[in-house]
Amino acid sequence: NDVTLSVAEITSSNILTAFPGGRWNTFNPTSSTDNPEERFINVNAVFTDANDNLWVVDIGSVGSRTYTNGSKLVKISLRSNQVERVYYTSSL
């Protein structure tokens, strides 16, 4: 029932901080049903490119439940720590 961090930054004090902040790491499959397109549901890959972007692959499902607009590729600028674009991969 607890919400865990899907994507986090390790600070210089070795503390995990939700990344990129906001509502992105607040999804709880037992109580969160609103705005899955703006939250990480089930992250299964991250990649940093040569242009200082973090790409996050979210499969958008938990167990047998798939969330509308939950499956997505999220582009986060590491310069601004802001989500720049979201590419939805399904529209169930």
Side-chain angles (χ1 to χ4, degrees), residues 22-58:
R23 295 169 27 144
W24 283 98
N25 282 280
T26 62
F27 186 81
N28 182 326
T30 60
S31 62
S32 296
T33 57
D34 61 324
N35 301 320
E37 63 274 358
E38 298 173 4
R39 299 179 186 198
F40 295 127
I41 308 297
N42 191 349
V43 171
N44 63 348
V46 294
F47 174 78
T48 304
D49 68 19
N51 296 315
D52 289 329
N53 295 304
L54 178 69
W55 295 88
V56 180
V57 178
D58 185 345

Side-chain angles (χ1 to χ4, degrees), residues 2-78:
D2 293 332
V3 175
T4 59
L5 299 177
S6 294
V7 179
E9 177 180 18
I10 302 173
T11 66
S12 58
S13 304
N14 288 328
I15 297 173
L16 290 176
T17 305
F19 188 82
R23 295 169 27 144
W24 283 98
N25 282 280
T26 62
F27 186 81
N28 182 326
T30 60
S31 62
S32 296
T33 57
D34 61 324
N35 301 320
E37 63 274 358
E38 298 173 4
R39 299 179 186 198
F40 295 127
I41 308 297
N42 191 349
V43 171
N44 63 348
V46 294
F47 174 78
T48 304
D49 68 19
N51 296 315
D52 289 329
N53 295 304
L54 178 69
W55 295 88
V56 180
V57 178
D58 185 345
I59 62 172
S61 63
V62 176
S64 62
R65 181 162 183 196
T66 300
Y67 294 86
T68 302
N69 289 329
S71 178
K72 57 194 163 287
L73 176 63
V74 181
K75 178 185 178 187
I76 304 168
S77 167
L78 294 175

